[in-house]
Amino acid sequence: MSTTATSSAMDFDELTEVAGRVRRAIETVIEGKPDVVETAVTVLLAEGHLLIEDVPGVGKTMLAKALARSIDCTVRRIQFTPDLLPSDITGVSVFNQEVRDFEFKPGAVFANIVVGDEINRASPKTQAALLESMEERQVTVDTTTYQLEAPFMVIATQNPIEMEGTYPLPEAQRDRFMARVSMGYPEPAAELRMLDGHSATDPLNNLQPVTDSQQVLRLVKTVHSVHVSESVKEYAVALVGATRRSQELRLGASPRATLHLIRAARAAAALDSREFVLPDDLQELAVPVLAHRVLPAAEAHLGGRGASDIITGLVASVPLPRTRRD
Amino acid sequence: MTGHVRISLAAWAATVLGSLVLAPVFSGPFLFISAFLCALVTGTGILLQNLRAPRIVVPVVQLAVLVELLSLIFLRDTLRFGLVPWKETALEFNQQMVNAMSAINRFSAPLPPDDHLTLFAASVIAATGLLIHLIAVQLRQAAWAGLLLLTMYTVPAATVHGGLPALLFIPPAVGYIVLLSAEGRTRLSRWGRRISGVSHLDASEPIEASALGQAGRRIGLTVIVLAALVPALLPTLPEGVIGNGLAGGGGSGGGIGASISSTDPMLDMGKNLKRGDNVTALTYTGGPAGGTYLRLTALDQFDGNIWRISQRNQGQKITNADMLPPQGFNGDLAKVPTTKMKVEVSRSFRSQFAPVPYPLRSISLKDRWRYDPASLDVVSTNGGVVGGKDYNLEAYQLPLTPELLRDTPPGAEPDSYTSQVPTSNMDEIRQLTNDVVADAKGNRFQQAVLLQNFFRSNGNFTYSTDTDTKSGMTALRMFLLDDRVGYCEQFATGMALMARVAGIPSRVGIGFLPGQAGKDGQYVVRMHDMHAWPELYFQGLGWVRFEPTPSARVATTPTWTEQAAPVPSTPTTAPTTAPTTPGASVDPELERPGDRNLPDDNGLAVTETGNWFSNGGAKAIGIGLLVVVLLGIPWLIRSLTRRRRFARPPGRAGVEGLWAEIRDTSRDLGLDWSDSSTPRQLGEWMAGKVPEPVQPQARRLARGLEAVRYAVVTDVEVDLRSEAADVRKALWSQAKLVRRWRARLLPPSWRWYLNRGSAEASDLLDEFDLLLARIRTSLVPRRSRHAD
């Protein structure tokens, strides 16, 4: 018992230490956005995929690259364009004259971290190819299934402003992303520091990996050991259920959202060196995990309330589950 | 199903359900017949509506159908060609209605299953159904149909002796809700489907699933359930606590006493004897030692079923001079001693008859008060009541002795009706009477005394007001021949009837026992002292009071009836003791509260002191104590809960209890505890409310709760009692004085528990809605619902 407890404590120490290193590494590139970085690391440890949505030039791609670069693992970057084909993502079987047989050339998705830049620029067919592999963590080409190597994480960026020539991700596909973050503009001070630091050299070039894929896998395993009490599960169900009943939402969150919420909360608890999830974790993650999956009703739009505001309101109104005996 | 069909069916259902309230009034198959008639009338309406008949035609045809059906069922012999109602049909119908009205006036509920009564009931219900259909379907004003249902309900409510079964209001109420719900649904469906955000999810739901219909059903259901449950749960309050205890608002009938609508004084007496409270009816001073019976009136006519007051003339005007001499008294009234009294009648006693002793010589009530020379009762001529009046009077004290009575000559009758005996069903009673009076050898007085003894001791009679509420000849026969359990009504009417059978003219006096002697010679007479007794007529002496009611109720018999006839030395198994002995061996369950008012011939047993305490002060103190106790209940429960929570052993349940205690304390003190905040947030919030030294305790409490509630289940014993006590104390000390007192007396945390209770109730109603929806889905095919 004590051995397990000790090893468990060591695991958590390692996790916080490694996560801290990753965070610090990313923050050398992305300044003044600790929340976004925190969420990105959380999603990494929760085995989810991250959608970064914001206007151009705020560092979406930089964040994706920085996260990928800070881990010593295979990284692929796909620039989504309208003429990108699904086979570019998944790979293709070509006939090898030498061996006189078809040979599979893996596509861009065969990597530990896949950075999908401007995912909404590709055609829905191509988007679907990526999203399918995201969910199933495998690729099927010509009846042959190829497993993707763990850890596997897709970090996609999209630009919500430019609508011309884009194919916005449908709700079903947005649901595959564990969390969505918005970069937001940096603080003036952070922007000043950026001018100093980034004007001469690309900080990404200086970024060295601080961990490797094997260690990340170990950390993920540690996250799995985080305890989720019945009370917290009930609270997660209540929160997600509230999105389905809310008058302000046309579409509530899916059961997959509940699953993602709990998984993300586990990672957040582990990052906080805690062996159990608190309702606070769910509350903090509610907006990044739920907001991109719901559709505000027309009235909410007219009232100027976005999905994030509505989720924040729900968090403030859904009571914590009652204890049976008090 | 189209809208008008739905409302038509609902109107039919409402009529049928509403007609159930008449079940205690009528008997026989009238409910089935009327339901059948209404169904055919409704069917006619639906058919005509589907044929697009003009709106005015529908009720006319329905009425014709109803008349034809009634004629076919009840008046077949009068129909021309066996089918067409004719003039004879109308005359026969009229005659049947007259017969029915007469029977209704004569009998008390339940009425016998005679044909004319069944016709009457079926006609009334079917006509009501027709009107409900007209109002709800043709005029589309379903809400007003409720008035008809209410009217139907008031009939039994006003006439049934002893009140209606408590839950009988439910069928008409449910019928009304069904009708309203059908109407509301149809009305809404005319506006089309409701607009909704996610149209594909609920477009197929019928309109009544809308919040409006749901709310309506919920309110209706809740009200019915509350109306049914609350009276059952409430303790029976003495009516006097709330009002004067008398429902008799503007009852302008000839009724006496506190009842509302009845014209039957006997019914009023029965009700007054059985009522929960026992308010003072009147007080008097003066009169003979030991008090005197006060009579309201005499029921001198017996129609074979009930005793009633005979048709009276205008009555004699009351003047300062003496009244006419008592009927049948031949002696010299100038030599008869008199007694003077002063009577004060309580406002709550709303009778048109003035309580007076018999025989009355003079009374100070004037103007609109008159007296009847035969009965010497004093009655208001304009419907005014005696309540609140005080008057002086002088009454004769007739020198009655057994010897005098024994020597009266037989044969004389004061009038034509006080000797009338029913002609049918009297054989057994006649036989019984003959057996009882056999020893009297034809002497009227001896016969009367034997009858009195028979009721009081020899006949195995038991006094109880818990008898069946039936009245009339059936009940009287049962009383005399069968169970022999009754109260003064049965004893008085039984002896009066048997006296008539024996050839002695008799009538039934209704009034009060002498009441309870108070200080200063004042007597207090209460509602439970209402009483009935027979008065028998003796030539030369007039009407003489007897007392057949056993000693369980009335201890003594009139002095002139004592030692007059040989009373059997062993009263055998009689449940009551011999006359003149206060009920020592009476079954305690049968004793009335009024027993303490037993008349006292010696005037010695003065028990009421009449001080402030007994005259309502005790009640005031009691109410005050009750209020204090009620105010103390929340405090008591909170204290016990707190104690229980702090007494729990360390561990998960213990910490949860402490946390709940801090939560309730915060709510009690008016602090804004949020249910949607996490323990950690609440810990910080608490830390902001308490002084700095206690802040770590507040945080530790929150962390402790986190550990026991969310961490891996372990058997750790977290003891946070001292932390919780510190935080609670700190929160308490920070609160204002007013808040603290409110927290003690009316802890707002209760409101939270109430809300929680109402949430549970709401869940229950949700289940109910779901059940209704399922039933509807299984009963009504989906396509027909879409056709709306």
Side-chain angles (χ1 to χ4, degrees), chain B residues 157-361:
Chain B
T159 56
V160 174
H161 189 174
L164 289 180
L167 300 179
L168 199 62
F169 77 97
I170 291 180
V174 170
Y176 189 47
I177 287 177
V178 166
L179 181 59
L180 285 184
S181 156
E183 203 250 3
R185 190 179 163 193
T186 307
R187 195 175 283 245
L188 278 176
S189 65
R190 284 203 285 271
W191 289 83
R193 303 209 167 276
R194 69 186 160 126
I195 300 166
S196 173
V198 189
S199 55
H200 63 280
L201 285 183
D202 54 8
S204 61
E205 283 185 35
I207 196 80
E208 84 233 286
S210 70
L212 194 60
Q214 198 180 37
R217 269 199 312 280
R218 283 179 174 200
I219 291 170
L221 185 81
T222 312
V223 166
I224 291 181
V225 169
L226 282 181
L229 286 184
V230 168
L233 297 176
L234 282 179
T236 314
L237 287 174
E239 292 166 77
V241 172
I242 295 163
N244 61 11
L246 298 169
S252 60
I256 62 166
S259 301
I260 321 167
S261 56
S262 173
T263 55
D264 186 347
M266 203 65 100
L267 289 186
D268 291 310
M269 184 187 69
K271 284 178 185 169
N272 281 333
L273 287 178
K274 291 174 186 176
R275 56 193 293 153
D277 58 349
N278 189 15
V279 293
T280 301
L282 58 98
T283 57
Y284 65 87
T285 49
T292 179
Y293 279 58
L294 294 167
R295 206 187 58 172
L296 293 162
T297 185
L299 312 177
D300 41 15
Q301 205 166 24
F302 183 56
D303 61 5
N305 192 51
I306 50 174
W307 293 78
R308 58 175 74 246
I309 305 166
S310 63
Q311 192 67 40
R312 304 246 170 108
N313 298 323
Q314 262 294 309
Q316 295 286 326
K317 203 169 179 190
I318 299 173
T319 61
N320 287 331
D322 288 354
M323 292 179 175
L324 288 174
Q327 194 179 23
F329 185 78
N330 292 340
D332 183 3
L333 277 176
K335 292 180 182 167
V336 173
T338 60
T339 176
K340 291 189 176 177
M341 292 168 65
K342 180 174 168 55
V343 182
E344 289 179 38
V345 185
S346 152
R347 279 194 180 279
S348 56
F349 184 64
R350 303 176 68 81
S351 167
Q352 286 176 264
F353 292 97
V356 291
Y358 180 87
L360 190 62
R361 184 180 182 190

Side-chain angles (χ1 to χ4, degrees), chain A residues 227 229 231-232 250 274 276-280 283 315-320 322-323 325-326, chain B residues 198 645 648 653 656-657 660 663 675-681 706 709-712 756 760:
Chain A
H227 173 71
S229 66
S231 175
V232 167
R250 200 146 62 87
R274 241 184 302 114
F276 52 89
V277 176
L278 286 180
D280 305 73
Q283 291 192 350
V315 166
S317 66
V318 174
L320 261 69
R322 297 199 299 254
T323 45
R325 190 167 159 242
D326 52 20
Chain B
V198 189
R645 284 167 171 167
R648 281 187 201 163
E656 289 282 5
R663 177 196 66 207
D675 274 335
S676 56
S677 296
T678 63
R680 188 165 291 196
Q681 290 160 350
E706 275 180 359
R709 195 184 272 180
Y710 302 118
V712 187
R756 194 160 124 179
E760 304 280 352

Side-chain angles (χ1 to χ4, degrees), chain A residues 10-186:
Chain A
M10 278 172 61
D11 291 345
F12 280 95
D13 288 346
E14 183 193 6
L15 188 139
T16 44
E17 193 258 326
V18 172
R21 285 207 307 259
V22 172
R23 261 202 302 257
R24 280 193 298 278
I26 298 174
E27 277 168 0
T28 58
V29 180
I30 306 291
E31 290 190 40
K33 296 286 172 196
D35 298 348
V36 177
V37 174
E38 175 87 18
T39 309
V41 175
T42 305
V43 172
L44 169 74
L45 294 180
E47 298 177 281
H49 307 290
L50 184 67
L51 179 64
I52 307 172
E53 192 177 80
D54 219 323
V55 292
V58 290
K60 300 189 294 288
T61 314
M62 191 74 94
L63 171 66
K65 280 183 175 172
L67 180 60
R69 194 74 70 83
S70 60
I71 301 163
D72 184 15
C73 59
T74 52
V75 180
R76 292 285 184 86
R77 177 169 181 274
I78 314 168
Q79 183 65 47
F80 281 74
T81 54
D83 57 353
L84 191 75
L85 294 175
S87 57
D88 297 337
I89 307 270
T90 56
V92 66
S93 293
V94 291
F95 192 74
N96 190 332
Q97 295 282 2
E98 291 174 10
V99 295
R100 293 186 163 275
D101 197 3
F102 280 95
E103 188 182 358
F104 181 64
K105 297 279 184 194
V109 80
F110 284 85
N112 292 119
I113 293 181
V114 179
V115 180
D117 218 3
E118 301 201 70
I119 191 169
N120 55 340
R121 290 206 176 277
S123 66
K125 198 176 175 183
T126 312
Q127 288 173 355
L130 175 68
L131 294 162
E132 198 181 326
S133 51
M134 279 166 64
E135 180 64 18
E136 295 162 17
R137 291 170 191 270
Q138 62 184 23
V139 171
T140 305
V141 176
D142 295 340
T143 71
T144 313
T145 300
Y146 305 94
Q147 293 296 330
L148 297 176
E149 197 185 334
F152 173 65
M153 181 186 187
V154 173
I155 307 172
T157 70
Q158 77 170 350
N159 176 357
I161 299 298
E162 285 178 55
M163 301 309 287
E164 196 75 21
T166 60
Y167 306 90
L169 288 180
E171 288 79 31
Q173 296 189 351
R174 285 143 72 103
D175 201 27
R176 310 275 170 92
F177 288 97
M178 179 175 276
R180 181 195 64 179
V181 289
S182 292
M183 299 296 292
Y185 292 111

